[in-house]
Amino acid sequence: MLPRIQALAASAQPPVELIVHDAEKNQYFRPQDLLRHGKALDIWLCGPAGLGQAVREQAQREAGWHLHQEAFQLR
C-alpha cells in the first residue's frame, strides 16, 4: 500500500510531502523534526495520546504552530 500512498502524495495539488518513519528501521518521529518546515505550521494529528502530548508541548514552544488533534481515545 505504501507505493500507492506515495504516488497519491506526489500527484496531489498542491504536492504533499510524505515522510515515513519505520520503527523496525529505528526511524522514529520526533516533534522537533517539524522545525525544518519553518515557523508557521498547521499540524493535523491523529495518533497515540503520548505522541499528541509530545507534539502539543513542542507546539506551545513554537510561535506560529497551530495544532489540530483528533479528540478520541482508543481502549
Side-chain angles (χ1 to χ4, degrees):
M1 179 173 274
L2 182 57
R4 175 76 175 131
I5 294 171
Q6 289 169 321
L8 289 169
S11 66
Q13 292 301 321
V16 173
E17 179 183 10
L18 177 67
I19 301 170
V20 177
H21 298 269
D22 187 342
E24 289 183 5
K25 296 178 181 175
N26 205 27
Q27 300 168 340
Y28 296 95
F29 170 77
R30 301 171 309 137
Q32 56 268 39
D33 293 339
L34 296 171
L35 292 170
R36 71 181 184 90
H37 294 287
K39 296 275 185 196
L41 295 179
D42 278 308
I43 302 165
W44 296 83
L45 176 67
C46 177
L51 174 63
Q53 180 66 31
V55 173
R56 189 176 314 105
E57 289 171 4
Q58 185 74 41
Q60 289 171 345
R61 290 190 289 271
E62 306 299 331
W65 283 26
H66 302 282
L67 177 62
H68 312 272
Q69 184 177 7
E70 292 291 332
F72 66 87
Q73 294 286 329
L74 297 176
R75 297 180 215 186

